[in-house]
Amino acid sequence: MKRQLRRVVTVGGVLAVTLLLWVLLPLWLVAAAALSPLLPGRWRALRLLWIVILYATIDTLLLVVMFGYWLAAGGSRRVRAPYWQGLHYDLVQGVMWVLFREAKRVLRLDIVTEGPAPDAHPGQPLLVCCRHAGPGDSFTLIHALMYWYRREPRVVLKDTLRWDPAIDVLLHRIPARFISPDPAQGEDLESQIKALATDLDEDDAFVIFPEGGNFTAARRDRAIARLRKLGLERMAARAEQMTNVLAPRPGGFLAALDAAPEADVVLVAHTGLDHLLTVGDVWRELPMDKQIVMRWWRVARADIPADRDGRIDWLFGWWEQIDAWIDEHRVGSAPT
């Protein structure tokens, strides 16, 4: 009942916002044009307005198309069958292509990937671990996995993203998990992750953000304090040396490793999408005329320690490497 009520509210809200954006478009254009000379960057308000309109419109169209899928499939159970899951993945890939094409054209974002080429992982499932700095990195990572690496991602996401109704509906139809920060709700996190990472096939990529949340200074301090409370002084000291990332929480990653013993691990770092957490952050810091760099590292399964303590130390070591890489690759302007 709670899910149905939430969807009534969020779907209605998205439809209303999209309608208002298009019906009152001339007014929004005049206001954005008037604001643009007062803001840094070239036509910042107009460019941001177009991205907002595009996102709201795509959200609405996604809901309409997925409702059509639900009718054609004959209900909620059948729409989760492999055939319909494939259609939903195709839908996501198409939507991401449109969003990032427009981001490149309107915002002049140049996304560069470094590391193994897409054909470096033929016929093998992957566990993908990415730093977390806001919702923008989730979208960029999924786009890269689907468009460049031809993977079908299985994603672990915070349940706050359920308030986007298109994401809410979509991720209840493909393999994914919304997780709650409240451990008292439902089964434990590691069990959910283990279930999702089981039976990966050759074109699957299990995606996890080991930090457990977006980076903020307050969360970094809490993560360090939590390690000390658990008596892990050495790990806390290492976490204090990392200034761009949170100390990784290894439980979910270790559960995924156990559930997918045949999968290699890919670690991902990026610059350019940091700290876009609130509407105010997006307004102030949305990257325009910039280059976003994504760095990928592949680690063969045989090179990952077999014991729990060794795996935790290995993960911390990689997070220290990612932290150092971020320091060396701050965002620059996109080439003209």
Side-chain angles (χ1 to χ4, degrees):
M1 186 63 184
K2 184 178 179 181
R3 182 198 301 179
Q4 283 76 11
L5 179 60
R6 182 183 66 247
R7 286 185 178 176
V8 168
V9 173
T10 57
V11 170
V14 165
L15 295 177
V17 168
T18 305
L19 181 63
L20 283 174
L21 285 171
W22 283 106
V23 169
L24 301 179
L25 181 59
L27 294 179
W28 302 124
L29 289 174
V30 170
L35 281 172
S36 286
L38 306 177
L39 300 172
R42 295 179 303 126
W43 300 106
R44 182 179 184 84
L46 279 171
R47 294 156 80 184
L48 184 56
L49 173 64
W50 172 241
I51 295 301
V52 171
I53 291 173
L54 177 67
Y55 189 88
T57 303
I58 285 177
D59 241 32
T60 298
L61 292 176
L62 271 174
L63 290 168
V64 172
V65 172
M66 288 191 292
F67 180 66
Y69 283 177
W70 183 83
L71 290 176
S76 299
R77 290 188 178 181
R78 292 183 180 179
V79 83
R80 295 186 181 91
Y83 170 78
W84 291 102
Q85 286 185 357
L87 289 183
H88 282 79
Y89 275 120
D90 291 342
L91 185 63
V92 174
Q93 185 172 348
V95 164
M96 289 293 184
W97 181 83
V98 171
L99 280 174
F100 279 88
R101 186 195 67 175
E102 287 301 288
K104 185 173 184 180
R105 183 180 70 87
V106 177
L107 303 181
R108 289 190 69 249
L109 293 183
D110 182 24
I111 302 175
V112 176
T113 59
E114 299 177 352
D119 59 358
H121 317 281
Q124 184 176 17
L126 300 174
L127 300 179
V128 180
C129 298
C130 185
R131 70 167 295 214
H132 208 352
D137 60 3
S138 305
F139 283 100
T140 305
L141 178 62
I142 297 306
H143 173 62
L145 285 171
M146 299 191 75
Y147 186 68
W148 292 316
Y149 290 84
R150 298 293 187 264
R151 293 284 173 161
E152 293 183 349
R154 300 187 183 187
V155 192
V156 178
L157 294 170
K158 293 184 70 174
D159 63 356
T160 51
L161 286 172
R162 287 175 172 170
W163 289 100
D164 182 319
I167 294 176
D168 185 22
V169 173
L170 175 69
L171 294 189
H172 277 96
R173 296 186 183 179
I174 62 176
R177 286 290 187 280
F178 287 109
I179 59 172
S180 170
D182 181 3
Q185 295 184 17
E187 60 179 326
D188 68 274
L189 173 59
E190 292 183 19
S191 295
Q192 295 182 59
I193 290 175
K194 189 171 184 179
L196 185 61
T198 299
D199 295 328
L200 300 178
D201 62 31
E202 62 184 18
D203 64 349
D204 283 334
F206 176 87
V207 179
I208 191 169
F209 299 89
E211 292 160 287
N214 303 319
F215 177 90
T216 66
R219 282 179 177 164
R220 176 178 175 272
D221 291 342
R222 287 197 297 270
I224 294 169
R226 176 177 173 273
L227 290 171
R228 288 210 161 94
K229 185 177 180 180
L230 294 172
L232 303 174
E233 180 60 37
R234 188 174 71 89
M235 292 299 182
R238 293 173 70 177
E240 286 181 326
Q241 299 302 311
M242 297 186 286
T243 58
N244 304 293
V245 295
L246 303 177
R249 306 180 75 165
F253 173 71
L254 298 183
L257 279 178
D258 290 338
E262 72 286 357
D264 283 354
V265 173
V266 173
L267 298 113
V268 184
H270 60 79
T271 62
L273 295 168
D274 309 65
H275 315 311
L276 300 182
L277 308 178
T278 67
V279 173
D281 294 336
V282 172
W283 176 255
R284 291 188 303 270
E285 301 181 34
L286 184 71
M288 295 184 181
D289 308 303
K290 297 286 180 68
Q291 184 179 83
I292 296 171
V293 181
M294 299 188 73
R295 178 66 165 94
W296 305 67
W297 295 270
R298 178 193 179 189
V299 181
R301 188 52 176 262
D303 295 331
I304 300 174
D307 63 292
R308 180 181 177 85
D309 289 342
R311 286 177 173 179
I312 293 173
D313 187 69
W314 176 89
L315 182 61
F316 260 80
W318 267 105
W319 241 243
E320 290 166 336
Q321 182 172 332
I322 287 172
D323 182 69
W325 181 89
I326 295 168
D327 272 333
E328 296 170 4
H329 294 80
R330 292 300 180 184
V331 179
S333 298
T336 57

